[in-house]
Amino acid sequence: MWRPCCHCFLVFSFVMRCSAAFAVAVGASGNPFAGQSFYRNPANAKEFDGSIATASGVTKETLQKMKNVASAYWIDVREKITGTNTSSVEGILTDAASKSPPELVVLIWYDLPNRDCDAKASNGQICCTKKADGTCDYDTQGDCADGIAEYKKDYVEPFVSVLEKFEGKVPVVLVMEPDSLPNLATNIGHPHCGNPATVAAYKEGISYALTQLVSRVPWVSLYLDAAHGGWLGWDNNLQGFLTLLSDMKLPLDKVRGFATNVANYQPLGEICPYEPDQGYRNAYCLNQQHQGDPCCADPCKLE
């Protein structure tokens, strides 16, 4: 559910304020990214070599630059958790810890049962119910007990256990389950997202994972995914998301903040001062106000 939107910039500042609020609550360690060297995976860098060898001109120059850019690592199947090479969490952390100083690793935690219920573009390996071909059956209702148990045993437990080995050895930032809670907040009318099995999987799965992480590896900086401004930037979607977080009673006092633009991207532009006129809507730019401020640029010509 991605919608191009310029209006979203008017309310996106509220999400940023929420993120800042959580940062204040748990910010004893400060900004986890400040002053860090970012880990660059040699396996990823090597994959550029073939393309660089056949490219020329600006394309080749761009690929050479991209080769040396650090990136986050999506742990989207349990097979990527343990191992000795840098295609696994364990291998990546071992390599990053060997640097002087140890380099910051950013990991994307992503393997809920019935993952990606709306688009099914990244259908996962853990299901509440499986079809004959092994893919997830999003229509069969239930409590997803088997899928949740599999997630806890085969994904959460080994992932947290690996992280425990690296306390004090390497800095880690973790982004939790992109698009999952935003889908529950805004796409509950979709039969695959509103299925009680999917709802149970997302709520119990994320609650359990966060609880394990904050209790066993509190040194890991945790960010909860908040989609992007073109999705949760709309007033009703934002309210639904915040209500969902409140109802779930997650350990948000231990979460560092929100991560946006992870699984889809909405340009941030210039963040405007927050001057709400109703609800969470930022009226700073409405009715031709402050048109000289760069944050009020209106490329979609909404006004």
Side-chain angles (χ1 to χ4, degrees):
M1 180 185 160
W2 186 89
R3 293 182 289 186
C5 159
C6 293
H7 160 76
C8 63
F9 296 132
L10 304 179
V11 295
F12 186 75
S13 60
F14 179 77
V15 177
M16 298 302 291
R17 282 170 172 255
C18 285
S19 181
F22 283 121
V24 170
V26 301
S29 60
N31 182 350
F33 297 97
Q36 298 285 1
S37 297
F38 296 95
Y39 178 70
R40 290 175 294 177
N41 192 325
N44 286 11
K46 189 175 181 179
E47 291 180 1
F48 281 92
D49 290 341
S51 297
I52 290 172
T54 59
S56 61
V58 175
T59 300
K60 186 169 186 175
E61 293 174 6
T62 301
L63 288 170
Q64 288 171 330
K65 292 177 182 178
M66 291 173 64
K67 177 179 177 178
N68 294 312
V69 173
S71 62
Y73 303 95
W74 286 73
I75 313 305
D76 55 351
V77 291
R78 52 179 168 255
E79 288 78 12
K80 290 184 179 180
I81 297 173
T82 59
T84 57
N85 61 35
T86 56
S87 63
S88 67
V89 174
E90 191 171 18
I92 288 170
L93 295 181
T94 299
D95 190 39
S98 72
K99 311 296 183 181
S100 182
E103 294 176 342
L104 175 72
V105 174
V106 180
L107 301 170
I108 311 298
W109 178 293
Y110 189 58
D111 205 19
L112 274 175
N114 281 20
R115 188 174 72 194
D116 200 15
C117 61
D118 181 46
K120 293 199 297 183
S122 54
N123 188 278
Q125 66 179 168
I126 303 177
C127 304
C128 294
T129 303
K130 285 189 176 181
K131 297 179 181 178
D133 63 1
T135 61
C136 293
D137 178 355
Y138 289 87
D139 296 313
T140 298
Q141 298 191 4
D143 59 7
C144 197
D146 291 342
I148 293 169
E150 182 180 351
Y151 179 68
K152 292 178 179 180
K153 175 179 176 289
D154 294 343
Y155 188 82
V156 177
E157 179 56 34
F159 203 144
V160 176
S161 294
V162 167
L163 291 172
E164 285 177 318
K165 298 177 183 179
F166 290 90
E167 182 173 3
K169 297 179 181 179
V170 61
V172 177
V173 169
L174 204 61
V175 178
M176 293 297 299
E177 297 291 357
D179 286 0
S180 301
L181 294 184
N183 265 325
L184 285 194
T186 66
N187 291 327
I188 200 70
H190 190 301
H192 293 167
C193 297
N195 182 341
T198 301
V199 173
Y202 287 18
K203 286 186 175 182
E204 185 174 344
I206 289 176
S207 179
Y208 178 82
L210 281 177
T211 300
Q212 290 297 303
L213 287 162
V214 301
S215 62
R216 294 168 58 183
V217 286
W219 54 274
V220 172
S221 296
L222 295 175
Y223 287 80
L224 195 60
D225 179 75
H228 56 88
W231 182 347
L232 294 187
W234 297 94
D235 220 13
N236 57 334
N237 289 348
L238 179 60
Q239 181 61 57
F241 181 67
L242 295 176
T243 298
L244 175 64
L245 294 183
S246 177
D247 291 344
M248 287 179 66
K249 295 180 172 54
L250 299 171
L252 293 179
D253 59 325
K254 303 294 195 304
V255 172
R256 181 65 177 80
F258 291 112
T260 60
N261 287 355
V262 176
N264 208 331
Y265 185 78
Q266 174 74 24
L268 297 181
E270 298 283 339
I271 297 178
C272 291
Y274 185 56
E275 296 183 2
D277 66 340
Q278 57 181 357
Y280 298 124
R281 186 177 73 172
N282 191 351
Y284 183 79
C285 299
L286 295 183
N287 301 317
Q288 304 300 314
Q289 297 183 87
H290 307 107
Q291 293 305 295
D293 192 323
C295 80
C296 291
D298 187 16
C300 296
K301 307 300 181 187
L302 294 178
E303 286 202 296

